[in-house]
Amino acid sequence: DNTSVIPELRGLVIASAIRGKLPKAFDYLLSLEESTSDVSLKPELMGSLCLTDSPKQISMLLERIKDPNKVRAHDVDHWLAYLLRSRHAGKLAWDWMRDNWSWLEKTFGSDKSYDYLPRYAASAFNTRELMEQYKEFFTPLKDQPALARNIEMGIEELENRITWIEKDHKTVSAFFKDYR
């Protein structure tokens, strides 16, 4: 019953159940996500479920993306964005995205969410290795007018973020080491 939790704390409570690996929490929350019509609860459930560190559960979430009985078409990009940004699911989600790009293109090629996909991937990456993978995958797709601008923005975002991390990493790490 989501009415017994203060709305401002609901997302934190749900996320804590996943992070804390409470027995049956994942299955219960996944079932709730599939059945609820509460538009404010759905994103909290999606984001929290994607916090799992279980490879089995991550694979289950990725497999569900293509099942219209489990994931509504307008939620696919949200699921993918949450999974890409998860420190536990990010690599699997990136692999899934590349492996299933033809399905994403076929399903969403004429939809507004299609052009956001390169930006979602770029927003999740923070290493030169991932930036190179991003460039390798998306550069050939720049000939698609719907994607070209967001691919360029993604590359610029990655270059700026990685440059900043490389420039300031030692100073920030030293601060927190001394702070303890």
Side-chain angles (χ1 to χ4, degrees):
D1 175 21
N2 66 17
T3 59
S4 63
V5 176
I6 299 169
E8 291 80 5
L9 297 177
R10 186 173 61 193
L12 182 61
V13 171
I14 295 168
S16 295
I18 297 297
R19 283 190 174 122
K21 302 177 187 178
L22 294 180
K24 301 182 184 177
F26 184 88
D27 294 335
Y28 170 76
L29 293 171
L30 186 60
S31 174
L32 181 59
E33 190 282 327
E34 290 174 358
S35 64
T36 189
S37 58
D38 183 338
V39 294
S40 68
L41 178 60
K42 240 183 193 326
E44 291 174 344
L45 291 165
M46 282 189 262
S48 296
L49 287 161
C50 292
L51 294 172
T52 182
D53 63 0
S54 163
K56 180 181 174 188
Q57 292 172 344
I58 292 166
S59 293
M60 179 193 312
L61 293 175
L62 287 166
E63 288 171 18
R64 296 172 72 256
I65 289 176
K66 291 170 70 173
D67 183 346
N69 296 315
K70 302 281 184 184
V71 175
R72 297 177 302 181
H74 66 273
D75 287 334
V76 166
D77 61 333
H78 295 103
W79 277 106
L80 195 50
Y82 285 128
L83 287 162
L84 283 164
R85 292 176 182 153
S86 164
R87 68 182 175 144
H88 302 294
K91 179 173 179 355
L92 290 172
W94 174 232
D95 291 344
W96 185 94
M97 184 180 196
R98 290 181 293 178
D99 292 344
N100 290 278
W101 187 259
S102 60
W103 177 81
L104 289 165
E105 184 176 24
K106 179 182 174 193
T107 307
F108 301 104
S110 62
D111 188 85
K112 180 66 179 153
S113 61
Y114 178 64
D115 69 323
Y116 290 148
L117 295 173
R119 292 292 305 281
Y120 290 149
S123 72
F125 299 160
N126 59 11
T127 67
R128 289 220 174 264
E129 178 186 353
L130 287 170
M131 180 174 67
E132 292 309 315
Q133 288 179 20
Y134 179 94
K135 287 179 178 180
E136 183 181 320
F137 181 75
F138 281 114
T139 298
L141 300 174
K142 287 196 318 189
D143 64 345
Q144 295 181 31
L147 297 180
R149 183 170 185 274
N150 279 336
I151 292 170
E152 284 299 323
M153 289 171 58
I155 292 169
E156 184 176 340
E157 179 182 343
L158 279 163
E159 288 172 346
N160 290 335
R161 181 181 312 113
I162 291 165
T163 299
W164 175 78
I165 289 170
E166 290 172 349
K167 176 181 164 280
D168 292 336
H169 184 265
K170 287 181 182 177
T171 305
V172 172
S173 294
F175 171 80
F176 284 108
K177 184 179 179 185
D178 294 341
Y179 186 73
R180 290 192 264 171

